[in-house]
Amino acid sequence: MFKKILIANRGEIACRVIKTARRMGIATVAVYSEADKDARHVGLADEAVCIGPPPSKESYLVIDKIIAACKETGAEAVHPGYGFLSENPEFSRRLEENGIVFIGPKHYSMAAMGDKIASKKLALEARVNTIPGYNDAIDTPEQAVEIAKGIGYPVMIKASAGGGGKGLRVAYNGREAHEGFIACRTEAKNAFGDDRIFVEKFVEEPRHIEIQLIGDAHGNTIYLHERECSLQRRHQKVIEEAPSSFIDPATRKAMGEQAVALAKAVNYQSAGTVEFVVGKDKSFYFLEMNTRLQVEHPVTELITGLDLVELMIRVAAGEKLPFTQDQVRLDGWAMECRINAEDPFRGFLPSTGRLVKYMPPPEVHGVRVDTGVYEGGEISMFYDSMIAKLIVHAATRDQAIARMRDALNQFVIRGVASNIAFQAALMQNPRFLSGDFNTGLIAEQYPKGFNAADVPHDDPAMLVAVAAAIHRQHLERNGTISGQMPGHEFVPGEDFVVLLGADQYQVKVTKAEGGWDVSFGGERYELRSNWQFGEPLYVGALNGQSICMQIERRGLVYRLFHWGVQADMQVMSARTAVLKALMPVKAPPDMSRFLLSPMPGLLTQIAVEVGQEVKAGEILAKIEAMKMENVLKAERDCVVAKLLAKPGESLAVDQAIIAFK
């Protein structure tokens, strides 16, 4: 067994690998860019080596720097995590040439299966079901349009080295195919250093189901059941679960055996995932093979009881798999939510900044949190947006969903926006709850993006009662301020008006032992809690039933978060409510003549000049944020009056880029 390994990655996956290595008694080396000098994985590792400036292509993607760090520290092996160099056969080969073990598949297996074009040809030879498409690299956008027309729209334009939703577009017509080809090639070149693109038929109403497998150097290859990854937004996975509610034992066996046959065809030795597109009739087609550890590997670990990182390390060290196919268990149900630094209320735009507060739920009762951040740490614009992975395990799917809902309620993040509200809303979506969904669910359910109003709370009285009780508790504290004039002390009232959107509630709040009694609408709500000022979580009981929600006070507004609902509420006296209704609403400034940056990021291109006439739909600028290229287009015909930013400039949210006449 290795004495020391280097982790050629960052963030939560680097921390995840360090955790297993430490349990196995293996020393660890972290590598980091200048932007990550205070990162969590750097502090967790036994040693750390700086490998360059913040951009990935100058640090985490530089093979020579990783090899130099291995030699400097005496690391015998490298775990690549996922992303970066994890599926780069040149990296694996170079390590091998330098006497360093790559904790992953052999470079020849990776070259065959990691390349989507080559792997599809191999799948055809191995008689694995494949999707119709053009399996050779395409040189020009014009050629892509012709090929797409021949296959028939819609088509999927994909980078051969792509992954994580990068270098992938769906096109429904020639214009989208032309633009998608250019965008995919740019993203693929920046993210993977490989700009080869191919096209295949897009299967409508598909489910994305993948088979996890593990192979060793002794000819053993075993599949570890399936993962359902159909809940996706713009081809990036949002929620994953294992097993799939759609797959029956016969289909599971057929998919698993095909995945194993494909892996054996290239002598695959490590953890890997074969992804399939599955139709309504349970017909399945090979999509691609990920020759690395997947982001969603924890759900497989929880249903099988296996540590995939440990198995990868042991296989790389030459050990034999310690179990057979018949011994792989399927215990209960596991589910994972990717907690990302993005704002669901602003079109899921990336959010960067400092984590002013970071309180994940406690890891008890089937709850697991894999993360690479800490309170006070910074979410950088240079890397992907993942903050953490929240994983739950329970006996049944319904119990796993209930456990996830409770855990999301307890996950507190402040300072940067997160997609927790959106995740919680999905946990209540009727189609998701029924298990009757496909990869189009999010686009179909939220065609105009996500809005808190899309998720009506099933018990608004709970929100009203909590807001009123908290307000009364604040007033109670005000009444204890010292130095008040005798006979004129502040005495809190009991009658209030609670404003929730357009609704008004007349409430009465009275003190009770251990909490408050809130009365309105002919009902009484007994709230009992030990909540103290400044605590972001309100934990207690309402009429004897346990409740947990997040609380944030913003001036005169109480923001409550519960089950995907973000409710902004105001509590005031009846007279104040009357006066408030008379106040004029200040109109926001007119910014319609400006192109504003929708996110923090790097301005990579301005595609127009001063005086240029622009037609609706034409490209104005491109912004790179968290490894994704974002194209800003004109919403209507206009004339460029002034350029307010330059390429290479770091932009803030809502910063003006272009002014129009």
Side-chain angles (χ1 to χ4, degrees):
M1 182 47 62
F2 310 115
K3 291 186 175 63
K4 184 186 288 188
I5 65 172
L6 181 143
I7 298 101
N9 216 300
R10 65 178 300 282
E12 68 86 15
I13 188 58
C15 297
R16 162 75 188 89
V17 175
I18 290 169
K19 183 178 179 182
T20 288
R22 179 172 291 166
R23 182 173 54 76
M24 295 175 69
I26 302 170
T28 55
V29 179
V31 291
Y32 64 96
S33 71
E34 291 164 5
D36 276 341
K37 66 180 187 302
D38 297 320
R40 184 169 180 260
H41 75 283
V42 175
L44 284 178
D46 298 298
E47 298 175 65
V49 179
C50 182
I51 53 170
S56 303
K57 59 188 176 184
E58 298 177 43
S59 51
Y60 294 105
L61 288 171
V62 183
I63 294 173
D64 288 339
K65 291 184 177 180
I66 304 292
I67 291 173
C70 288
K71 291 181 175 178
E72 179 187 332
T73 58
E76 304 155 83
V78 171
H79 196 300
Y82 51 74
F84 293 139
L85 295 167
S86 63
E87 293 183 282
N88 187 321
E90 172 72 6
F91 180 48
S92 173
R93 187 182 62 78
R94 290 278 306 281
L95 287 173
E96 194 176 303
E97 289 173 354
N98 281 272
I100 303 163
V101 176
F102 180 73
I103 302 175
K106 299 300 181 187
H107 62 85
Y108 50 82
S109 305
M110 196 185 300
M113 299 310 297
D115 184 313
K116 293 178 177 61
I117 295 172
S119 66
K120 195 169 181 183
K121 289 178 179 177
L122 270 165
L124 284 166
E125 291 171 14
R127 299 187 178 182
V128 175
N129 308 340
T130 56
I131 301 171
Y134 187 84
N135 298 330
D136 288 307
I138 298 165
D139 298 321
T140 66
E142 290 76 21
Q143 187 187 358
V145 171
E146 283 302 310
I147 290 166
K149 197 184 298 180
I151 295 171
Y153 292 105
V155 298
M156 189 175 283
I157 299 166
K158 300 173 72 173
S160 183
K166 297 169 188 68
L168 190 152
R169 297 288 191 281
V170 175
Y172 289 86
N173 54 53
R175 182 173 64 84
E176 291 181 1
H178 192 283
E179 291 179 0
F181 177 87
I182 295 170
C184 284
R185 190 159 62 176
T186 302
E187 278 184 11
K189 190 169 185 179
N190 288 341
F192 310 106
D194 182 345
D195 64 357
R196 289 175 302 149
I197 305 295
F198 70 108
V199 176
E200 66 186 17
K201 180 72 177 173
F202 178 60
V203 179
E204 298 189 85
E205 292 189 34
R207 292 181 82 119
H208 181 124
I209 298 174
E210 58 192 32
I211 299 290
Q212 174 71 58
L213 56 82
I214 183 83
D216 63 21
H218 304 274
N220 302 301
T221 309
I222 295 170
Y223 67 89
L224 308 177
H225 308 309
E226 82 282 1
R227 293 188 289 258
E228 170 83 66
C229 305
S230 297
L231 269 187
Q232 301 180 7
R233 195 188 70 79
R234 295 181 182 172
H235 312 295
Q236 287 194 300
K237 298 166 187 174
V238 177
I239 294 172
E240 302 101 348
E241 58 183 307
S244 167
S245 59
F246 185 66
I247 295 298
D248 55 53
T251 309
R252 175 180 297 124
K253 187 171 185 289
M255 292 174 72
E257 287 175 351
Q258 280 204 18
V260 167
L262 193 59
K264 283 192 170 183
V266 290
N267 189 26
Y268 194 87
Q269 301 171 27
S270 191
T273 297
V274 179
E275 300 190 350
F276 292 95
V277 163
V278 183
K280 289 186 291 188
D281 58 353
K282 292 190 173 69
S283 59
F284 56 90
Y285 305 95
F286 171 71
L287 192 61
E288 62 185 357
M289 184 173 187
N290 295 123
T291 56
R292 55 171 166 80
L293 193 66
Q294 294 276 95
V295 175
E296 58 273 21
H297 74 274
V299 294
T300 296
E301 293 184 326
L302 290 175
I303 64 165
T304 60
L306 300 169
D307 184 327
L308 285 171
V309 173
E310 179 178 350
L311 288 173
M312 290 179 77
I313 293 171
R314 292 195 180 283
V315 165
E319 293 187 15
K320 190 176 180 180
L321 289 176
F323 52 85
T324 62
Q325 187 67 62
D326 294 341
Q327 293 173 318
V328 178
R329 74 178 204 228
L330 203 169
D331 174 26
W333 214 280
M335 204 164 279
E336 173 181 292
C337 283
R338 299 188 183 194
I339 309 302
N340 295 331
E342 57 190 17
D343 192 342
F345 304 110
R346 288 175 57 95
F348 295 91
L349 294 173
S351 180
T352 59
R354 194 163 298 284
L355 284 165
V356 176
K357 192 164 285 294
Y358 176 75
M359 290 173 53
E363 295 193 53
V364 293
H365 310 305
V367 175
R368 167 176 163 180
V369 181
D370 285 12
T371 187
V373 303
Y374 56 89
E375 188 167 291
E378 195 169 344
I379 304 297
S380 167
M381 64 177 270
F382 295 104
Y383 312 112
D384 66 47
S385 60
M386 187 181 290
I387 296 173
K389 298 184 312 199
L390 177 60
I391 313 109
V392 298
H393 184 234
T396 67
R397 186 172 190 267
D398 288 344
Q399 289 173 357
I401 290 171
R403 186 160 285 170
M404 182 65 83
R405 286 175 67 172
D406 289 341
L408 287 166
N409 274 340
Q410 296 178 65
F411 208 134
V412 179
I413 294 173
R414 300 286 184 270
V416 299
S418 81
N419 63 340
I420 289 176
F422 180 61
Q423 298 275 20
L426 290 172
M427 285 293 145
Q428 297 183 96
N429 183 279
R431 281 178 59 188
F432 175 68
L433 295 176
S434 70
D436 181 21
F437 59 90
N438 55 56
T439 56
L441 182 144
I442 290 175
E444 292 160 12
Q445 297 285 296
Y446 307 102
K448 296 180 180 178
F450 178 68
N451 191 297
D454 296 336
V455 196
H457 199 280
D458 55 9
D459 188 8
M462 176 198 297
L463 304 178
V464 172
V466 171
I470 288 174
H471 184 71
R472 179 69 173 78
Q473 195 166 331
H474 274 97
L475 295 181
E476 185 82 5
R477 182 179 64 171
N478 293 348
T480 65
I481 294 173
S482 61
Q484 298 185 58
M485 185 179 292
H488 297 275
E489 294 86 358
F490 175 75
V491 180
E494 294 184 342
D495 297 304
F496 304 96
V497 172
V498 179
L499 305 180
L500 175 56
D503 298 324
Q504 288 194 11
Y505 299 84
Q506 308 283 337
V507 305
K508 186 179 187 70
V509 186
T510 54
K511 196 171 181 62
E513 187 175 346
W516 306 91
D517 289 340
V518 183
S519 303
F520 62 95
E523 300 286 338
R524 190 174 78 162
Y525 301 87
E526 298 179 355
L527 261 176
R528 303 295 180 262
S529 174
N530 294 321
W531 180 80
Q532 298 295 318
F533 300 105
E535 291 180 353
L537 282 180
Y538 188 93
V539 181
L542 179 64
N543 293 338
Q545 297 293 315
S546 295
I547 61 168
C548 175
M549 66 178 69
Q550 294 186 32
I551 302 291
E552 188 177 354
R553 192 178 186 188
R554 297 187 164 204
L556 300 175
V557 174
Y558 297 100
R559 173 165 287 179
L560 276 59
F561 168 72
H562 188 252
W563 290 350
V565 174
Q566 183 174 291
D568 286 345
M569 313 176 74
Q570 288 182 279
V571 187
M572 58 192 68
S573 67
R575 178 60 179 160
T576 305
V578 170
L579 295 174
K580 183 180 184 297
L582 301 174
M583 296 291 287
V585 178
K586 183 180 179 182
D590 180 16
M591 301 300 290
S592 61
R593 291 184 176 276
F594 294 88
L595 174 68
L596 305 179
S597 176
M599 69 199 77
L602 184 70
L603 181 62
T604 57
Q605 180 186 352
I606 292 184
V608 294
E609 299 174 350
V610 174
Q612 182 176 334
E613 292 186 9
V614 180
K615 299 295 183 185
E618 286 188 25
I619 296 173
L620 297 172
K622 294 181 181 179
I623 298 174
E624 190 178 297
M626 292 180 168
K627 299 199 290 187
M628 295 289 280
E629 181 181 68
N630 302 274
V631 179
L632 308 183
K633 298 180 180 179
E635 295 181 359
R636 56 184 179 275
D637 295 354
C638 52
V639 177
V640 178
K642 193 175 182 181
L643 303 181
L644 304 172
K646 297 176 182 178
E649 190 173 328
S650 293
L651 302 174
V653 177
D654 291 334
Q655 181 176 335
I657 304 170
I658 302 171
F660 303 103
K661 292 180 182 176

